[in-house]
Amino acid sequence: MTTDPAVLYAKLKEFFGFDAFKGDQEAIIHNLLDGKDTFVLMPTGGGKSLCFQLPALVMPGTAIVISPLIALMKNQVDVIRGFVEEQNGIAHFLNSSLNKAQIQEVRKDLLSGVTKLLYVAPESLTKEENVGLLREVNISFYAVDEAHCISEWGHDFRPEYRRIRDMVRTIGRAPIIALTATATPKVQNDIQKNLGIMDATVFKSSFNRPNLCYEVRDKVDPEKDIIRYIKQNPGKSGIIYCLSRKKVEEIANLLNINGIKVLPYHAGLDARTRAENQDRFLMEDVDVIVATIAFGMGIDKPDVRFVIHYDIPKSIEGYYQETGRAGRDGENAECITYYSYKDILKLEKFMQGKPVSEQEIGRQLLMETVAYAETNQCRRKMLLNYFGEDYPKDNCGMCDNCLNPKPTFDGRKEMCLVIRLIKSLPEHFKIEHLSMVLSGHSNAMIKSYKHDSLPLFGAGKDHSEKFWSVVIHQGLLLHLLDKEIETYGLLYVTDKGEKFYEDPYEIRLVEDRIFLGKGSDDEDDEDLANDKAAMKGGGGDATLFSMLKSLRKDMSRKLNLQPWIIFGDPALEDMSIQYPITFEELHNCQGVGEGKARKYGKEFIELIHRYVEENDITRPEDFVVKSAPTKSANKIYIIQSVDRRLSLEDIADARGMDLDELLDEIEVIVSSGTKLDLNYYIRQVIDDDVVEDIYEYFKSEATSDSVEDAMKILGPDYEEFEIRLVRIKFLCEIAS
Ligand code: ADP
Ligand code: MG
């Protein structure tokens, strides 16, 4: 069916109120009207719906729209009905949410021919009664929305999508238009093959989003970093994605405590709360939403200024979709991802319960994300390359790597070695395999292929496996290498690569970034405390540190207390980093309980305040992250039981711990500033003289609160258990 362009424009205006088509819309629609199969790759928000809605309205018959999102169907249908007011029956949807009467109505409208668009969930399409009905209907074309759901290599595989082709055959062939916003070359191929539309006209818009700035940050204290970021960007709308519901709740809670208006969103909330939270975000009642990836599908908020990934996404597709929700209005927006390899290991662990083939796919998608996160190359180039698109410039100016370019080296020798290895092998292999061979590492697979006895095994052992995988990734970006489509991930040398190999020229390669991130621990505060301890050291203000130390010395003389009892070195060090100038801020420094802050803190705060003013120091944080109260059930139980004067044995029994473990817990409680009065128990189990000896040691002799040192100096007459108990008493009475 050929249609006069003028007619199409008139309909565009009449039905949708638009004056012009966006991007490829017009060409796509003409192609479909001509009865040709059509494949549309267009980023989210590009205007895919119109590509089937408009032709459906002008063509004779009914268009079948297959879409996975039941929730969105009603909305889409309402939109169409809004355009074409006089006819309610013009668009319908068919899914499991309809009752009998509603189905009857759909049936009537379909058979009488008033319905131009029928939205169907894929599982409804396969129901026999529906198939029977649709066989009687004159079908204009089939639209497969979110077509990446067909491929296991897409990020949202739905097995029902695999049956679409058979259903189309049964119901009656008509042109097919498939649409998706994310598809790697592999997924594109899967879609066309599965739908039987290898000859479809392909319309591929650029996936480049020039107004989005991409950044990957080391995951060190991400909570604080996020709070700082939001406080520096007041009033801006943003989404924070986390992988687990628990994390969503935790982060939302933490941000709230720190005075940021946020709401959580995840599938564990009831439907009403979810809808309400989403609305309040859309209505700008709150600026920030913390969500799992359940949030955002079909959301069209144009002015989202930042998308933060607290956890690394499981695939680049997911990442691209989620970051794609930023900056739809075309104004600049930031996409920040926190990365640590620990998170990757965690994700891999989660996969272990899945079928092997799924694991294999999941792992590969994840490895692509790792490569993306760790690269020192232009992120835009890498993203676009992933979706089969070339980015022509070397520096995009809008990603962390381009804004801070890293030194490069001439990598022609290294690239030639990679190519030589690939060419020397009769079969094709994946990146990991090749980089292991080059760096001289072996595993079961390498042994089974006897690749550990290849002449090139270990030919690049001066470099790590990681280094070689980076070289290979850059070979992909330069199109010297490519991945096979059918057997995803196996590498081959392109024509360009062959030419390069024959006559090598200079290529500039960069080494990867090193990340130190801690990763997210869902565990208790002990872990947090450990992490904090691990990341300290250095970075402080040395002048301030020594001033704080001499203040401590003065005070220790005045109070006749050992310096460490006032504040330990880690506390002073943290102060020289945080510059606390209020009690609250001081209390948030490492090893500073509330009691200590109040007892000894005044002079320290005053000193720091003066120092900051005199030296005109911009404090790195003009806020301090307040932490959510610890929710550990054990700790609460212990505190309450000690209040009730239960014996430690009973407490330990009740919680299934031994006494040592209980003391560990108690020490954590005390070191975070909570006082416990254990005298009732100590009196019962330790001789008064012994208590006094140990107490006196800590008060006058000790140079730190180390239990080990105490045992050495006090000698074998005192048991570790006694020392630990008295130390706790001492810390509660004097040192906190
Ligand atoms: P996609 O499905 O590609 O993510 P949609 O079809 O939902 O995108 O369209 C995104 C937005 O673009 C919608 O708000 C839609 O009304 C708008 N839009 C689509 N086509 C046009 C056009 N020709 N002119 C102006 N706006 C358009
Ligand atoms: Mg869409």
Side-chain angles (χ1 to χ4, degrees), residues 44-45 48-49 52 76 145-146:
T44 308
K48 286 185 287 299
S49 316
F52 55 82
Q76 291 234 7
D145 205 5
E146 314 289 345

Side-chain angles (χ1 to χ4, degrees), residues 42-296:
M42 198 187 267
T44 308
K48 286 185 287 299
S49 316
L50 194 100
C51 298
F52 55 82
Q53 287 170 341
L54 182 55
L57 293 172
V58 302
M59 281 165 87
T62 307
I64 307 291
V65 182
I66 300 155
S67 158
L69 307 170
I70 296 190
L72 291 186
M73 274 183 199
K74 183 167 177 329
N75 175 272
Q76 291 234 7
V77 165
D78 287 345
V79 169
I80 302 283
R81 287 180 185 168
F83 291 141
V84 191
E85 278 162 14
E86 65 277 15
Q87 279 174 330
N88 242 346
I90 193 141
H92 274 300
F93 63 91
L94 200 55
N95 64 31
S96 49
S97 74
L98 297 184
N99 61 29
K100 274 222 173 80
Q102 289 169 319
I103 293 179
Q104 271 314 313
E105 192 191 331
V106 174
R107 200 184 163 82
K108 189 190 82 209
D109 286 342
L110 272 176
L111 293 176
S112 70
V114 275
T115 301
K116 306 303 296 175
L117 270 151
L118 179 69
Y119 284 82
V120 201
E123 57 276 8
S124 306
L125 190 62
T126 55
K127 282 215 187 94
E128 226 168 281
E129 66 264 30
N130 293 333
V131 173
L133 168 62
L134 292 178
R135 282 172 67 108
E136 293 174 53
V137 174
N138 173 26
I139 288 169
S140 52
F141 63 87
Y142 296 90
V144 183
D145 205 5
E146 314 289 345
H148 55 271
C149 294
I150 276 184
S151 172
E152 289 166 285
W153 290 94
H155 58 107
D156 190 16
F157 174 52
R158 295 173 189 242
E160 317 88 65
Y161 258 66
R162 281 289 169 81
R163 301 184 54 194
I164 293 175
R165 184 183 188 176
D166 285 342
M167 290 306 116
V168 166
R169 251 194 228 132
T170 318
I171 295 166
R173 184 71 158 95
I176 294 177
I177 177 171
L179 311 100
T180 176
T182 51
T184 58
K186 166 73 179 158
V187 174
Q188 292 169 31
N189 184 265
D190 279 358
I191 293 171
Q192 289 189 265
K193 233 173 62 186
N194 266 296
L195 290 175
I197 56 167
M198 287 313 281
D199 296 332
T201 323
V202 179
F203 293 90
K204 186 166 177 176
S205 336
S206 171
F207 277 50
N208 189 16
R209 297 282 309 274
N211 61 319
L212 298 191
C213 184
Y214 300 103
E215 182 182 353
V216 178
R217 294 188 184 178
D218 214 340
K219 196 165 182 175
V220 173
D221 215 350
E223 290 83 4
K224 187 170 207 164
D225 208 46
I226 290 174
I227 293 170
R228 180 194 304 131
Y229 179 85
I230 297 176
K231 294 210 166 177
Q232 282 167 352
N233 289 280
K236 287 190 185 167
S237 195
I239 307 173
I240 301 170
Y241 283 108
C242 307
L243 280 180
S244 71
R245 295 173 188 181
K246 189 174 156 210
K247 235 337 156 218
V248 166
E249 292 287 350
E250 232 175 85
I251 300 287
N253 191 19
L254 184 74
L255 296 187
N256 263 320
I257 291 171
N258 284 278
I260 298 166
K261 270 178 91 181
V262 299
L263 284 172
Y265 186 103
H266 58 72
L269 298 170
D270 64 78
R272 236 191 67 209
T273 313
R274 254 183 296 157
E276 213 175 278
N277 290 0
Q278 175 174 320
D279 279 352
R280 287 183 60 191
F281 177 64
L282 294 178
M283 303 311 293
E284 313 204 322
D285 196 18
V286 293
D287 295 327
V288 180
I289 200 127
V290 187
T292 57
I293 52 171
F295 179 79

Side-chain angles (χ1 to χ4, degrees), residues 459-479:
K461 65 175 180 312
D462 294 347
H463 295 290
S464 65
E465 183 189 335
K466 179 78 191 306
F467 172 90
W468 288 109
S469 98
V470 171
V471 172
I472 297 174
H473 267 287
Q474 297 183 61
L476 289 168
L477 285 185
L478 294 166
H479 299 297

Side-chain angles (χ1 to χ4, degrees), residues 552 555-556 559 561-568 596 600 604 735:
R552 180 177 67 178
M555 284 181 71
S556 97
L559 298 170
L561 279 176
Q562 305 218 35
W564 67 268
I565 296 177
I566 298 172
F567 289 121
K596 269 200 194 184
Y600 313 118
F604 286 83

